[in-house]
Amino acid sequence: MKFLRNAWYVVAWCTDIKRELFERTVINESLVLYRTSENKVVCLSNRCPHRFAPLHLGRIVDDRVECGYHGLVFDGSGRCTHNPHGDHKIPQAACVQSYLVEERHNLVWIWMGNKDLADPSKIPDFSCLTDTLKFSSVVGAIEMNANYELITDNLMDLSHVEYVHRGILGSDAISRGKTEVIDEGATLHSNRWCPDGLAPPAWDAMFGNYGKHVDHWLNMRWNAPAHMLLDVGITPTGKHRDDGIWMLGTDILTPSTEEKTFYFWGVSRAYALDDPAAGEAWVAAIDGAFSGQDKPMLEAQQRMIGNRDLWELNPVLIPADAGAVRARRKLAALIAAESAREEEKPAGEKRIVMV
Ligand code: FES
Ligand SMILES: [Fe+2]
């Protein structure tokens, strides 16, 4: 399976990266991250070019990384700046790959591909996470032993809510709801409209145990590779959304390997901004729904599929799959275009450097 390389990926929440070495694997590449004394985030390949020890087992010395095995030192650009041994000469090949980093919306984004193609203006809008005038946010991250596209399927097809999240986020209005898929090129929307039904229990509890019919909307926005934002809420049937309660849900998936994903979630509520209990209620709902219900289902689904491609297994398609299938096709087209460009390039020379 190929991953899209020329893309921004979220590697961590900004608060995860401190003045210490932090390891995370993204699209099968082990990375080491840390903050400099000027609070800048550095991201390097974690594999020391000497004997391939992981650099995150070393230490930070003057804003640089000292390998924990034999002490070669690398700066924030990945250049070796110190060899403590022998004549102290630095071999030409002693460098590690560095990655472009952008801190935005409280998230650390990294560019895994050709640096010349990186454009931070292409990072999708998750400004609800930092817009404290309009929203109050709670956030977290979940590791799932499942392929990121299976989780995209889950998020782009919210018909599963009635079944997987029964008793928390499910309601029979959701299964009666209609999904509309809107394709705007780079951005895809999968919008589910569920009018005139009882609110899901978690929502009803947050709306003062209203107990009467509401309109419920769940509108998911998708951008490649797997950056999603859910506009979701309930309001008394026929009323404006601001008569009810709603939030923007961040759902960003970063493939670590083919079968492991980091799921960065956020709930940015547009109501009860100053009430910490409302945030705590969402943390409990997400923990129950995402970790307690989606995760076991997705991991079990992954075990059934193994390392096969979904299409190889000829999945049965139903109308609710429309948004998920469209997202898969868009991503596959981007990966195919990237591979075609790679194949056009002349093969690089192999370099053997004698020390
Ligand atoms: S493995 Fe890093 S210095 Fe030897
Ligand atoms: Fe779910």
Side-chain angles (χ1 to χ4, degrees):
M1 175 187 291
K2 283 202 169 178
F3 293 109
L4 191 64
R5 292 201 65 82
N6 289 306
W8 291 101
Y9 286 94
V10 167
V11 65
W13 291 100
C14 291
T15 48
D16 293 333
I17 310 299
K18 306 189 178 85
R19 287 282 290 157
E20 55 197 50
L21 299 174
F22 175 97
E23 191 276 339
R24 180 143 287 169
T25 296
V26 174
I27 61 167
N28 282 327
E29 288 181 34
S30 176
L31 308 170
V32 59
L33 295 104
Y34 62 96
R35 276 186 195 277
T36 67
S37 48
E38 287 170 351
N39 211 27
K40 196 170 153 287
V41 176
V42 169
C43 179
L44 301 173
S45 163
N46 195 27
R47 195 168 63 181
C48 178
H50 176 225
R51 284 295 176 273
F52 313 118
L55 291 174
H56 79 277
L57 296 183
R59 59 180 186 147
I60 300 173
V61 178
D62 297 335
D63 285 345
R64 297 167 185 204
V65 186
E66 180 190 80
C67 179
Y69 201 178
H70 312 95
L72 290 182
V73 174
F74 302 88
D75 69 11
S77 73
R79 202 168 51 94
C80 179
T81 57
H82 180 59
N83 168 9
H85 306 285
D87 59 6
H88 304 292
K89 272 200 187 143
I90 295 174
Q92 222 191 330
C95 56
V96 291
Q97 167 91 40
S98 68
Y99 296 85
L100 287 180
V101 173
E102 185 75 21
E103 288 193 77
R104 191 171 294 188
H105 315 314
N106 276 345
L107 292 157
V108 181
W109 301 78
I110 52 168
W111 181 262
M112 297 298 289
N114 178 347
K115 288 181 182 168
D116 295 339
L117 301 177
D119 177 358
S121 73
K122 297 269 166 60
I123 293 175
D125 182 10
F126 288 93
S127 56
C128 56
L129 292 165
T130 44
D131 183 350
T132 50
L133 288 179
K134 282 200 209 138
F135 300 100
S136 194
S137 296
V138 287
V139 303
I142 304 168
E143 275 183 57
M144 289 196 183
N145 291 316
N147 179 271
Y148 72 113
E149 288 191 87
L150 289 182
I151 310 175
T152 299
D153 291 344
N154 168 288
L155 292 163
M156 291 297 277
D157 170 14
L158 293 173
S159 67
H160 80 272
V161 169
E162 164 60 4
Y163 299 93
V164 176
H165 303 304
R166 193 167 280 150
I168 299 181
L169 298 174
S171 77
D172 68 13
I174 289 181
S175 51
R176 285 190 277 107
K178 294 261 179 316
T179 298
E180 183 187 19
V181 176
I182 303 165
D183 189 337
E184 292 178 340
T187 303
L188 193 61
H189 301 270
S190 178
N191 298 340
R192 195 161 184 93
W193 172 239
C194 314
D196 200 14
L198 286 176
W203 280 101
D204 192 51
M206 288 181 219
F207 197 37
N209 295 307
Y210 180 66
K212 294 184 216 122
H213 277 204
V214 296
D215 295 336
H216 187 23
W217 68 95
L218 307 97
N219 298 340
M220 189 67 88
R221 181 193 81 190
W222 173 93
N223 290 93
H227 304 325
M228 282 157 277
L229 184 77
L230 179 67
D231 171 354
V232 58
I234 58 166
T235 197
T237 296
K239 290 285 174 65
H240 188 269
R241 62 155 61 201
D242 287 338
D243 292 324
I245 54 172
W246 61 276
M247 61 90 156
L248 295 180
T250 293
D251 297 289
I252 297 177
L253 309 176
T254 298
S256 182
T257 66
E258 285 77 2
E259 295 182 11
K260 182 175 162 187
T261 302
F262 289 100
Y263 182 162
F264 297 94
W265 66 263
V267 169
S268 303
R269 65 183 188 277
Y271 63 94
L273 300 194
D274 299 322
D275 180 3
E280 283 156 24
W282 270 113
V283 171
I286 296 293
D287 189 48
F290 292 11
S291 301
Q293 295 175 324
D294 282 314
K295 181 177 153 85
M297 178 60 84
L298 286 157
E299 292 183 346
Q301 185 191 10
Q302 180 68 61
R303 287 194 292 276
M304 297 301 282
I305 293 174
N307 59 10
R308 285 163 294 197
D309 180 71
L310 184 86
W311 300 120
E312 237 179 75
L313 295 171
N314 291 323
V316 168
L317 295 178
I318 54 176
D321 295 317
V325 169
R326 191 75 67 97
R328 278 182 175 267
R329 292 206 171 126
K330 278 185 180 291
L331 181 58
L334 289 169
I335 294 171
E338 193 171 277
S339 301
R341 280 198 301 275
E342 280 300 308
E343 277 158 23
E344 279 166 18
K345 282 191 199 156
E349 273 175 45
K350 196 162 186 184
R351 227 167 23 127
I352 299 172
V353 180
M354 304 301 288
V355 189

